[in-house]
PDB file of all heavy atoms in Angstrom:
ATOM      1  N   ASN A 163      46.345  84.632 100.730  1.00 95.00           N
ATOM      2  CA  ASN A 163      47.363  85.443 100.061  1.00 95.00           C
ATOM      3  C   ASN A 163      46.872  85.895  98.699  1.00 95.00           C
ATOM      4  O   ASN A 163      46.015  85.252  98.082  1.00 95.00           O
ATOM      5  CB  ASN A 163      48.672  84.658  99.921  1.00 95.00           C
ATOM      6  CG  ASN A 163      48.564  83.512  98.925  1.00 95.00           C
ATOM      7  OD1 ASN A 163      48.862  83.673  97.744  1.00 95.00           O
ATOM      8  ND2 ASN A 163      48.131  82.342  99.391  1.00 95.00           N
ATOM      9  N   VAL A 164      47.411  87.013  98.227  1.00 95.00           N
ATOM     10  CA  VAL A 164      47.130  87.512  96.893  1.00 95.00           C
ATOM     11  C   VAL A 164      48.443  87.955  96.273  1.00 95.00           C
ATOM     12  O   VAL A 164      49.297  88.544  96.948  1.00 95.00           O
ATOM     13  CB  VAL A 164      46.103  88.667  96.917  1.00 95.00           C
ATOM     14  CG1 VAL A 164      46.641  89.881  97.644  1.00 95.00           C
ATOM     15  CG2 VAL A 164      45.683  89.044  95.500  1.00 95.00           C
ATOM     16  N   GLU A 165      48.627  87.659  95.014  1.00 95.00           N
ATOM     17  CA  GLU A 165      49.869  87.982  94.324  1.00 95.00           C
ATOM     18  C   GLU A 165      49.911  89.449  93.911  1.00 95.00           C
ATOM     19  O   GLU A 165      48.933  89.988  93.385  1.00 95.00           O
ATOM     20  CB  GLU A 165      50.010  87.092  93.086  1.00 95.00           C
ATOM     21  CG  GLU A 165      51.269  87.329  92.271  1.00 95.00           C
ATOM     22  CD  GLU A 165      51.338  86.459  91.035  1.00 95.00           C
ATOM     23  OE1 GLU A 165      50.815  85.324  91.073  1.00 95.00           O
ATOM     24  OE2 GLU A 165      51.904  86.917  90.028  1.00 95.00           O
ATOM     25  N   LEU A 166      51.057  90.092  94.143  1.00 95.00           N
ATOM     26  CA  LEU A 166      51.282  91.438  93.634  1.00 95.00           C
ATOM     27  C   LEU A 166      51.803  91.403  92.203  1.00 95.00           C
ATOM     28  O   LEU A 166      51.393  92.181  91.356  1.00 95.00           O
ATOM     29  CB  LEU A 166      52.288  92.186  94.518  1.00 95.00           C
ATOM     30  CG  LEU A 166      51.839  92.549  95.938  1.00 95.00           C
ATOM     31  CD1 LEU A 166      52.964  93.265  96.674  1.00 95.00           C
ATOM     32  CD2 LEU A 166      50.582  93.400  95.920  1.00 95.00           C
ATOM     33  N   GLY A 167      52.721  90.507  91.928  1.00 94.00           N
ATOM     34  CA  GLY A 167      53.295  90.405  90.598  1.00 94.00           C
ATOM     35  C   GLY A 167      54.589  89.631  90.625  1.00 94.00           C
ATOM     36  O   GLY A 167      54.933  89.002  91.632  1.00 94.00           O
ATOM     37  N   LEU A 168      55.326  89.672  89.515  1.00 93.00           N
ATOM     38  CA  LEU A 168      56.573  88.932  89.386  1.00 93.00           C
ATOM     39  C   LEU A 168      57.758  89.883  89.366  1.00 93.00           C
ATOM     40  O   LEU A 168      57.764  90.878  88.643  1.00 93.00           O
ATOM     41  CB  LEU A 168      56.563  88.100  88.095  1.00 93.00           C
ATOM     42  CG  LEU A 168      55.485  87.024  87.992  1.00 93.00           C
ATOM     43  CD1 LEU A 168      55.597  86.300  86.658  1.00 93.00           C
ATOM     44  CD2 LEU A 168      55.588  86.028  89.144  1.00 93.00           C
ATOM     45  N   ASP A 169      58.736  89.561  90.170  1.00 92.00           N
ATOM     46  CA  ASP A 169      59.977  90.337  90.244  1.00 92.00           C
ATOM     47  C   ASP A 169      61.045  89.582  89.454  1.00 92.00           C
ATOM     48  O   ASP A 169      61.527  88.538  89.884  1.00 92.00           O
ATOM     49  CB  ASP A 169      60.378  90.486  91.714  1.00 92.00           C
ATOM     50  CG  ASP A 169      61.657  91.273  91.896  1.00 92.00           C
ATOM     51  OD1 ASP A 169      62.068  91.962  90.944  1.00 92.00           O
ATOM     52  OD2 ASP A 169      62.238  91.199  93.001  1.00 92.00           O
ATOM     53  N   VAL A 170      61.408  90.107  88.286  1.00 91.00           N
ATOM     54  CA  VAL A 170      62.364  89.439  87.398  1.00 91.00           C
ATOM     55  C   VAL A 170      63.785  89.681  87.899  1.00 91.00           C
ATOM     56  O   VAL A 170      64.114  90.756  88.403  1.00 91.00           O
ATOM     57  CB  VAL A 170      62.207  89.964  85.959  1.00 91.00           C
ATOM     58  CG1 VAL A 170      63.250  89.352  85.031  1.00 91.00           C
ATOM     59  CG2 VAL A 170      60.802  89.658  85.450  1.00 91.00           C
ATOM     60  N   GLY A 171      64.620  88.671  87.755  1.00 91.00           N
ATOM     61  CA  GLY A 171      66.017  88.793  88.150  1.00 91.00           C
ATOM     62  C   GLY A 171      66.936  88.848  86.943  1.00 91.00           C
ATOM     63  O   GLY A 171      66.624  88.295  85.878  1.00 91.00           O
ATOM     64  N   ASP A 172      68.061  89.524  87.083  1.00 93.00           N
ATOM     65  CA  ASP A 172      69.042  89.659  86.007  1.00 93.00           C
ATOM     66  C   ASP A 172      70.422  89.266  86.497  1.00 93.00           C
ATOM     67  O   ASP A 172      70.721  89.303  87.698  1.00 93.00           O
ATOM     68  CB  ASP A 172      69.104  91.106  85.508  1.00 93.00           C
ATOM     69  CG  ASP A 172      67.793  91.575  84.903  1.00 93.00           C
ATOM     70  OD1 ASP A 172      67.252  90.855  84.048  1.00 93.00           O
ATOM     71  OD2 ASP A 172      67.309  92.647  85.303  1.00 93.00           O
ATOM     72  N   LEU A 173      71.280  88.936  85.550  1.00 94.00           N
ATOM     73  CA  LEU A 173      72.693  88.724  85.828  1.00 94.00           C
ATOM     74  C   LEU A 173      73.377  90.087  85.833  1.00 94.00           C
ATOM     75  O   LEU A 173      73.209  90.870  84.895  1.00 94.00           O
ATOM     76  CB  LEU A 173      73.302  87.834  84.747  1.00 94.00           C
ATOM     77  CG  LEU A 173      74.786  87.506  84.871  1.00 94.00           C
ATOM     78  CD1 LEU A 173      75.029  86.560  86.046  1.00 94.00           C
ATOM     79  CD2 LEU A 173      75.304  86.888  83.569  1.00 94.00           C
ATOM     80  N   VAL A 174      74.101  90.403  86.892  1.00 94.00           N
ATOM     81  CA  VAL A 174      74.831  91.668  86.934  1.00 94.00           C
ATOM     82  C   VAL A 174      76.318  91.373  86.798  1.00 94.00           C
ATOM     83  O   VAL A 174      76.851  90.447  87.422  1.00 94.00           O
ATOM     84  CB  VAL A 174      74.535  92.480  88.212  1.00 94.00           C
ATOM     85  CG1 VAL A 174      73.115  92.986  88.204  1.00 94.00           C
ATOM     86  CG2 VAL A 174      74.792  91.670  89.468  1.00 94.00           C
ATOM     87  N   LEU A 175      76.978  92.171  85.940  1.00 94.00           N
ATOM     88  CA  LEU A 175      78.358  91.911  85.545  1.00 94.00           C
ATOM     89  C   LEU A 175      79.179  93.193  85.627  1.00 94.00           C
ATOM     90  O   LEU A 175      78.640  94.299  85.461  1.00 94.00           O
ATOM     91  CB  LEU A 175      78.410  91.426  84.081  1.00 94.00           C
ATOM     92  CG  LEU A 175      77.514  90.270  83.657  1.00 94.00           C
ATOM     93  CD1 LEU A 175      77.240  90.365  82.174  1.00 94.00           C
ATOM     94  CD2 LEU A 175      78.193  88.960  83.987  1.00 94.00           C
ATOM     95  N   PRO A 176      80.495  93.068  85.812  1.00 95.00           N
ATOM     96  CA  PRO A 176      81.347  94.250  85.645  1.00 95.00           C
ATOM     97  C   PRO A 176      81.241  94.754  84.207  1.00 95.00           C
ATOM     98  O   PRO A 176      81.057  93.962  83.268  1.00 95.00           O
ATOM     99  CB  PRO A 176      82.753  93.713  85.948  1.00 95.00           C
ATOM    100  CG  PRO A 176      82.540  92.463  86.748  1.00 95.00           C
ATOM    101  CD  PRO A 176      81.261  91.874  86.234  1.00 95.00           C
ATOM    102  N   ALA A 177      81.327  96.052  84.021  1.00 93.00           N
ATOM    103  CA  ALA A 177      81.136  96.643  82.692  1.00 93.00           C
ATOM    104  C   ALA A 177      82.142  96.130  81.669  1.00 93.00           C
ATOM    105  O   ALA A 177      81.863  96.134  80.465  1.00 93.00           O
ATOM    106  CB  ALA A 177      81.212  98.163  82.793  1.00 93.00           C
ATOM    107  N   ASP A 178      83.330  95.683  82.113  1.00 93.00           N
ATOM    108  CA  ASP A 178      84.329  95.178  81.173  1.00 93.00           C
ATOM    109  C   ASP A 178      84.286  93.660  81.016  1.00 93.00           C
ATOM    110  O   ASP A 178      85.182  93.062  80.425  1.00 93.00           O
ATOM    111  CB  ASP A 178      85.732  95.618  81.611  1.00 93.00           C
ATOM    112  CG  ASP A 178      86.098  95.099  83.011  1.00 93.00           C
ATOM    113  OD1 ASP A 178      85.243  94.449  83.654  1.00 93.00           O
ATOM    114  OD2 ASP A 178      87.242  95.371  83.455  1.00 93.00           O
ATOM    115  N   HIS A 179      83.233  93.029  81.520  1.00 93.00           N
ATOM    116  CA  HIS A 179      83.101  91.569  81.382  1.00 93.00           C
ATOM    117  C   HIS A 179      82.831  91.208  79.928  1.00 93.00           C
ATOM    118  O   HIS A 179      82.214  91.975  79.183  1.00 93.00           O
ATOM    119  CB  HIS A 179      81.955  91.076  82.273  1.00 93.00           C
ATOM    120  CG  HIS A 179      81.893  89.593  82.422  1.00 93.00           C
ATOM    121  ND1 HIS A 179      81.312  88.770  81.478  1.00 93.00           N
ATOM    122  CD2 HIS A 179      82.341  88.780  83.418  1.00 93.00           C
ATOM    123  CE1 HIS A 179      81.393  87.515  81.887  1.00 93.00           C
ATOM    124  NE2 HIS A 179      82.012  87.494  83.054  1.00 93.00           N
ATOM    125  N   ARG A 180      83.278  90.029  79.505  1.00 91.00           N
ATOM    126  CA  ARG A 180      83.131  89.591  78.113  1.00 91.00           C
ATOM    127  C   ARG A 180      81.674  89.514  77.675  1.00 91.00           C
ATOM    128  O   ARG A 180      81.373  89.605  76.469  1.00 91.00           O
ATOM    129  CB  ARG A 180      83.797  88.219  77.928  1.00 91.00           C
ATOM    130  CG  ARG A 180      83.193  87.122  78.807  1.00 91.00           C
ATOM    131  CD  ARG A 180      83.954  85.803  78.711  1.00 91.00           C
ATOM    132  NE  ARG A 180      83.437  84.825  79.651  1.00 91.00           N
ATOM    133  CZ  ARG A 180      82.393  84.043  79.417  1.00 91.00           C
ATOM    134  NH1 ARG A 180      81.749  84.130  78.244  1.00 91.00           N
ATOM    135  NH2 ARG A 180      81.976  83.182  80.322  1.00 91.00           N
ATOM    136  N   LEU A 181      80.722  89.352  78.619  1.00 91.00           N
ATOM    137  CA  LEU A 181      79.302  89.240  78.266  1.00 91.00           C
ATOM    138  C   LEU A 181      78.534  90.537  78.491  1.00 91.00           C
ATOM    139  O   LEU A 181      77.326  90.574  78.281  1.00 91.00           O
ATOM    140  CB  LEU A 181      78.646  88.117  79.077  1.00 91.00           C
ATOM    141  CG  LEU A 181      79.168  86.696  78.807  1.00 91.00           C
ATOM    142  CD1 LEU A 181      78.559  85.707  79.799  1.00 91.00           C
ATOM    143  CD2 LEU A 181      78.855  86.269  77.379  1.00 91.00           C
ATOM    144  N   ALA A 182      79.220  91.584  78.907  1.00 89.00           N
ATOM    145  CA  ALA A 182      78.530  92.831  79.253  1.00 89.00           C
ATOM    146  C   ALA A 182      77.786  93.426  78.066  1.00 89.00           C
ATOM    147  O   ALA A 182      76.719  94.024  78.229  1.00 89.00           O
ATOM    148  CB  ALA A 182      79.521  93.839  79.817  1.00 89.00           C
ATOM    149  N   ALA A 183      78.338  93.284  76.873  1.00 85.00           N
ATOM    150  CA  ALA A 183      77.713  93.859  75.681  1.00 85.00           C
ATOM    151  C   ALA A 183      77.024  92.799  74.839  1.00 85.00           C
ATOM    152  O   ALA A 183      76.675  93.044  73.674  1.00 85.00           O
ATOM    153  CB  ALA A 183      78.765  94.594  74.841  1.00 85.00           C
ATOM    154  N   PHE A 184      76.789  91.635  75.418  1.00 81.00           N
ATOM    155  CA  PHE A 184      76.167  90.537  74.678  1.00 81.00           C
ATOM    156  C   PHE A 184      74.751  90.930  74.263  1.00 81.00           C
ATOM    157  O   PHE A 184      73.992  91.497  75.048  1.00 81.00           O
ATOM    158  CB  PHE A 184      76.124  89.288  75.557  1.00 81.00           C
ATOM    159  CG  PHE A 184      75.560  88.072  74.871  1.00 81.00           C
ATOM    160  CD1 PHE A 184      76.315  87.372  73.952  1.00 81.00           C
ATOM    161  CD2 PHE A 184      74.272  87.625  75.156  1.00 81.00           C
ATOM    162  CE1 PHE A 184      75.809  86.250  73.323  1.00 81.00           C
ATOM    163  CE2 PHE A 184      73.759  86.513  74.534  1.00 81.00           C
ATOM    164  CZ  PHE A 184      74.532  85.819  73.612  1.00 81.00           C
ATOM    165  N   ASP A 185      74.398  90.640  73.032  1.00 79.00           N
ATOM    166  CA  ASP A 185      73.084  91.004  72.499  1.00 79.00           C
ATOM    167  C   ASP A 185      72.098  89.871  72.748  1.00 79.00           C
ATOM    168  O   ASP A 185      72.127  88.856  72.068  1.00 79.00           O
ATOM    169  CB  ASP A 185      73.195  91.302  70.998  1.00 79.00           C
ATOM    170  CG  ASP A 185      71.873  91.810  70.425  1.00 79.00           C
ATOM    171  OD1 ASP A 185      71.027  92.246  71.228  1.00 79.00           O
ATOM    172  OD2 ASP A 185      71.711  91.764  69.195  1.00 79.00           O
ATOM    173  N   GLY A 186      71.240  90.063  73.713  1.00 85.00           N
ATOM    174  CA  GLY A 186      70.246  89.037  74.022  1.00 85.00           C
ATOM    175  C   GLY A 186      70.469  88.443  75.398  1.00 85.00           C
ATOM    176  O   GLY A 186      71.470  88.725  76.074  1.00 85.00           O
ATOM    177  N   PRO A 187      69.556  87.585  75.840  1.00 91.00           N
ATOM    178  CA  PRO A 187      69.667  86.960  77.159  1.00 91.00           C
ATOM    179  C   PRO A 187      70.908  86.068  77.253  1.00 91.00           C
ATOM    180  O   PRO A 187      71.316  85.441  76.284  1.00 91.00           O
ATOM    181  CB  PRO A 187      68.380  86.125  77.277  1.00 91.00           C
ATOM    182  CG  PRO A 187      67.443  86.726  76.292  1.00 91.00           C
ATOM    183  CD  PRO A 187      68.293  87.221  75.164  1.00 91.00           C
TER     184      PRO A 187
END
Side-chain angles (χ1 to χ4, degrees):
N163 69 92
V164 64
E165 180 182 328
L166 292 179
L168 298 179
D169 180 16
V170 176
D172 297 310
L173 180 70
V174 291
L175 309 154
D178 60 357
H179 191 278
R180 60 186 174 84
L181 296 173
F184 183 76
D185 185 18

